[in-house]
Amino acid sequence: GVLLPTVSDIPRTDYAGIEDYFAHFLKSEPQGEILDGNIIVGANWAQDAGIYEFTMGTTGGKVKGRYTFVYIFEDGEWKISQHHSSVMPEAAKPQPITEAEVKDLFKLWNDALATCDPDAVAKRYAQKAVLLPTVSDVPRTNYALIKDYFVGFLKKKPSGEILESHVTMDHNVCQDVGIYEFTMGTTGDKVKGRYTFVYVWEGGEWMISHHHSSVMPESVLGPAPVPVVKGDDDGEDSEVNGSNGLFCCRSR
């Protein structure tokens, strides 16, 4: 038999090579399901070609691929003569998104907060997401831990607003970094914080892969020196106003 595997460039043309490939692949504990099969039957041979999907037992992740199986009747049983497996080619195409759409992803998370349902919020995070929350030392690295954090946080009925946002975009990943403010519905208190959201395209939608939230450090440690930006064309240095991100000018 010949195996052209999904994630190896090397054709596997003998028993040892095929066994070697599956020695690594099986560590993910895959379970396959055919989604679309097209069959041809001949004299002592048959072909099944289509699309299958694997669920990885170690992570719960799902991976689609294209397959061709050619079977032959050998020594009294059907054997795989050729197996060709490949990634879904369109899955590698970048998912288009604009800067405005990246900023709007925060609204999906904020709307989930408004439900006061920890499950709804946790479902906004990707399968391998990491949450570094504002008021807990514990990194939240799976669904259960992320949901646990929001069980407590949602008791305050928070509603978020982005005050300052800086967006970058790449191939099926985007990032929104800045400052947000929460109004606590139970008390009316307002709390500012710094945030990082990293989004990935997963399962046909944008999901939160990483969320890092922290207190405003100067509120705890005291005022920091105002940064000065050098090199203005008009011969002036620019000071960044640390309270609101605005610029003011200082003559040299």
Side-chain angles (χ1 to χ4, degrees), residues 44-48 69-73 78-82:
N44 288 338
W45 68 273
Q47 176 183 285
D48 185 3
F69 286 104
V70 177
Y71 302 98
I72 59 172
F73 197 70
W78 289 98
K79 299 284 190 71
I80 300 170
S81 173
Q82 197 257 104

Side-chain angles (χ1 to χ4, degrees), residues 36-193:
D36 181 18
N38 300 276
I39 294 173
I40 301 173
V41 178
N44 288 338
W45 68 273
Q47 176 183 285
D48 185 3
I51 296 171
Y52 50 16
E53 182 177 65
F54 290 94
T55 301
M56 304 304 174
T58 53
T59 65
K62 293 181 180 290
V63 181
K64 286 184 182 179
R66 301 181 301 175
Y67 72 86
T68 298
F69 286 104
V70 177
Y71 302 98
I72 59 172
F73 197 70
E74 181 178 278
D75 296 330
E77 61 181 317
W78 289 98
K79 299 284 190 71
I80 300 170
S81 173
Q82 197 257 104
H83 177 197
H84 186 164
S85 184
S86 63
V87 298
M88 302 293 288
E90 294 184 31
K93 293 182 179 179
Q95 178 67 21
I97 191 168
T98 65
E99 181 174 338
E101 288 171 336
V102 174
K103 292 181 179 182
D104 284 344
L105 294 175
F106 173 80
K107 295 179 182 178
L108 298 177
W109 181 80
N110 198 41
D111 288 347
L113 292 184
T115 68
C116 293
D117 180 1
D119 182 66
V121 183
K123 286 180 178 177
R124 292 301 316 153
Y125 290 79
Q127 291 179 1
K128 295 185 179 180
V130 175
L131 165 65
L132 301 179
T134 319
V135 292
S136 172
D137 291 345
V138 181
R140 309 303 174 114
T141 57
N142 58 43
Y143 171 83
L145 289 173
I146 292 171
K147 179 179 177 180
D148 173 75
Y149 176 74
F150 287 107
V151 167
F153 184 56
L154 291 178
K155 291 178 180 178
K156 301 175 183 179
K157 298 183 178 179
S159 177
E161 177 187 3
I162 288 180
L163 304 180
E164 181 178 335
S165 171
H166 304 275
V167 170
T168 57
M169 296 167 288
D170 207 335
H171 185 103
N172 287 346
V173 62
C174 54
Q175 174 180 282
D176 186 2
V177 178
I179 296 171
Y180 50 15
E181 183 176 67
F182 291 96
T183 301
M184 304 303 173
T186 53
T187 63
D189 291 344
K190 293 181 179 291
V191 181
K192 287 184 181 178

Side-chain angles (χ1 to χ4, degrees), residues 23 72 96 118 216 244 248:
I72 59 172
M216 302 296 287
N244 56 19
C248 60

